[in-house]
Amino acid sequence: MSRDLRGYWDAEPAPCWPNGTRLAVSFVVNVEEGAELSIASGDERNEGRYEADDEVKGAPDPCMVSHFGYGPRRGYHRVVEALAAHDARASFSTCGRAAEATPWLIRDAVARGHEVSCHGWRWETHAGMTAEQEREIIARTHAAISRIAGTAPVGWHARSATSPQTRDLLKAHGGFCYDSNAYDDDMPYMDGDFVVLPYAFDTNDMRFSPGGGFVQPRDFSDYVIAGFDRLYAEGAQAARMLSIGLHTRLIGRPARIGALEAILAHITSHQDVWIAPRREIAACWAQHHGARA
């Protein structure tokens, strides 16, 4: 694996977002429900992390399955209504098996104008997979989401670590123009003619999970707003992008949804901000910076 620790060290790209806006904001709603590891679904083990670290080993876990069911049953409605109230379109990063388990949810997201991208087949890391395994997973996930969403996905983000060959396999598959399996910058960059849209685990509701540091809804909203304010200020001189990660089973809880509403209200109170799905951010970046590929 090669590493680039220099990045844009001495040549930061100037702002390039549409209509002179100074900051691109990407809301990512992760759709994993139905794709979490579960013996009841025929997997080798159960998912062990949700609101508590308590993996049931060797037997089906109806409790964990029920926790994940909260997202599509209840949390989804609160999240999409909050986004709609502020005319914000998101990227629904979706596991292939989750799309098959909740096709009505995926079609509703598309009808609302959101992007649906790929989040692997199951909700699992790709580290250690062979090229043959990954190639099959990429093709299967792309085909399922294309069929259910009615439009072909162009983005990819695997859970946590990829394998060293993941990006090359995405390029070879065709149809993908970006991935989000990087966490090393506050703006996109090019890998050849492929766009890398860095994601973020700090501005992410996953930190409501055990040990993540967020307890009260203001923990999340205050943190994200602080990140927004800093990037908004820097965006006057250089291109900047803010990623905000969401999960309907987490932020969609009644005690937490107010945090998302507060974040949206703060961001939309600034006129020169571009809230867009990741496929549009990737296309804009490639238009301005793809020539050096």
Side-chain angles (χ1 to χ4, degrees):
M1 295 178 62
S2 62
R3 298 180 69 189
D4 177 8
L5 298 179
R6 187 175 184 85
Y8 293 114
W9 179 261
D10 55 359
E12 286 204 320
C16 63
W17 308 125
N19 303 315
T21 51
R22 63 162 67 182
L23 179 62
V25 175
S26 167
F27 286 92
V28 178
V29 182
N30 295 277
V31 182
E32 299 150 350
E33 294 79 9
E36 76 280 5
L37 298 184
S38 170
I39 289 176
S41 296
D43 297 321
E44 64 276 15
R45 64 177 178 84
N46 294 313
E47 176 62 38
R49 184 175 180 84
Y50 178 62
E51 298 280 8
D53 293 314
D54 187 23
E55 180 181 352
V56 173
K57 298 181 179 180
D61 185 355
C63 178
M64 186 65 73
V65 169
S66 182
H67 278 305
F68 273 79
Y70 190 87
R73 288 172 63 97
R74 184 56 51 202
Y76 172 83
H77 299 284
R78 294 190 179 113
V79 171
V80 294
E81 287 166 8
L83 292 168
H86 295 276
D87 196 26
R89 291 176 301 130
S91 295
F92 279 68
S93 184
T94 305
C95 296
R97 198 168 79 179
E100 289 201 335
T102 59
W104 66 89
L105 184 152
I106 302 306
R107 293 177 184 132
D108 183 76
V110 171
R112 293 172 180 269
H114 302 297
E115 172 192 11
V116 180
S117 59
C118 294
H119 195 24
W121 179 253
R122 302 191 305 183
W123 188 44
E124 62 182 342
T125 177
H126 280 216
M129 287 186 181
T130 67
E132 291 72 22
Q133 287 175 309
E134 273 202 286
R135 188 178 294 109
E136 189 277 333
I137 287 171
I138 289 169
R140 186 181 186 187
T141 304
H142 189 275
I145 291 178
S146 296
R147 172 174 50 82
I148 293 168
T151 184
V154 298
W156 181 274
H157 181 219
R159 179 183 183 180
S160 299
T162 61
S163 77
Q165 70 264 1
T166 302
R167 189 167 294 152
D168 287 338
L169 291 171
L170 294 172
K171 293 177 181 179
H173 178 275
F176 292 100
C177 70
Y178 78 86
D179 76 52
S180 297
N181 281 115
Y183 308 87
D184 53 1
D185 217 320
D186 294 315
M187 68 189 87
Y189 54 89
M190 302 299 299
D191 181 355
D193 59 355
F194 201 78
V195 183
V196 180
L197 292 181
Y199 192 48
F201 281 171
D202 64 325
T203 49
N204 194 307
D205 68 0
M206 64 185 284
R207 293 185 59 198
F208 282 114
S209 297
F214 290 165
V215 177
Q216 299 298 329
R218 284 196 61 181
D219 296 338
F220 183 40
S221 57
D222 285 355
Y223 189 93
V224 172
I225 287 170
F228 170 85
D229 288 347
R230 179 60 185 237
L231 292 177
Y232 180 82
E234 293 181 2
Q237 302 299 324
R240 291 291 186 268
M241 179 184 76
L242 172 64
S243 293
I244 302 170
L246 306 171
H247 302 74
T248 58
R249 65 184 182 274
L250 295 177
I251 198 64
R253 288 282 175 175
R256 297 175 181 154
I257 191 65
L260 176 58
E261 293 168 341
I263 290 166
L264 284 160
H266 182 81
I267 290 174
T268 56
S269 70
H270 297 71
Q271 294 187 359
D272 47 350
V273 175
W274 183 39
I275 303 175
R278 290 175 94 76
R279 69 187 304 160
E280 294 182 16
I281 295 173
C284 179
W285 194 263
Q287 178 183 354
H288 288 88
H289 300 282
R292 21 179 197 170

